[in-house]
Amino acid sequence: MTLRGCAHPEGCHTGDLPVLASATVGARFWLLVEHPGPWASHLEECRLPDGVRTLVDRAVAAGVRPQLIRRPGRRRPVENGIHVMVADSTAPEPWLAEGVIAGPDDLDMDALMAGVVPESCILVSEPVFLVCTHAKRNACCARIGLPLARSLAKVLPDRVWETSHVGGDRYAANLVCLPHGLYYGSMSQAAAIAAADAYRSGEITLDRFRGRSGIPEPLQAAEHFVRAHTGELSVGGVAVESSRSDGATTEAFVRGSGVRFRVVVEPMTLTTPCGTACAEKITTYRLVTLDRLTPVRYATPVLT
């Protein structure tokens, strides 16, 4: 499927091209602020209420990922304070919290950066699903994202939000699952429902899984290849323990399914179906080696 006016390589929006290891690296801590729009191309250009503008600016300065959110199909202005959600995606136990604050001074950004729930928010047990519908950033996000957000909201009312740019327009429609920061791309409505159902059960689906935000792309790739090798789908079932890079090649030691693996990956550039007609190049990762490590058992000498 090629959308009219779409400049992305053919296959980006259908899942025919790989999306692995493309989650936003810098998204470790999140600030979601409800604002119905309109949204300019970039957050710094948006005309926002003073309190919302201050929150967004403080988040950027602190290294927190700010996202504007709104309910699918609704454009009502927010009343009685500022509705916010905050999340820590890279904590040992990722968490999500929610609150309505009177102003920006009521949200402790330092606490969030320290991995502590701000006093003005309370922990929530249900996940949140963000669908990028940021038309001014890229038309494909609205053309594909809007119907997906609305259909997913019918299945999971009150848990789905339209959101501003999440990164990776070429992979629209994009879905982000919080609090773990799991990214999916090139999503169809059926694929989005499957991914949301899996996440609510503590699992991922590898189909169209972009990766886990907050970690470098080569390590996202290493986790992906271990999952594909072992079939381990639990959200916390695979994790990189250590890594090192030598030029473009990355060696990672990854735990998965109770076993440790040595994984070596390197970037590669794909030739897209449209050849040189597309301005964009698709860079992904290829698996060089994946070795299961034998546990070392140390013998204790007998004392005499």
Side-chain angles (χ1 to χ4, degrees), residues 142-164:
R143 289 173 176 172
I144 313 173
L146 278 169
L148 187 145
R150 290 168 182 169
S151 66
L152 190 59
K154 292 179 181 178
V155 179
L156 296 170
D158 300 326
R159 307 316 305 166
V160 178
W161 297 84
E162 295 181 21
T163 193
S164 53

Side-chain angles (χ1 to χ4, degrees), residues 84-96:
V84 299
M85 285 182 273
V86 291
D88 181 350
S89 288
T90 55
E93 294 291 338
W95 53 264
L96 176 72

Side-chain angles (χ1 to χ4, degrees), residues 31 33 35 40 42-60 66 68 82 104:
L31 168 66
V33 185
H35 177 68
H42 295 75
L43 290 191
E44 61 268 24
E45 300 170 358
C46 289
R47 299 179 61 183
L48 302 172
D50 290 343
V52 174
R53 166 55 60 199
T54 299
L55 278 174
V56 169
D57 291 346
R58 286 182 181 175
V60 171
L68 300 178
I82 306 172

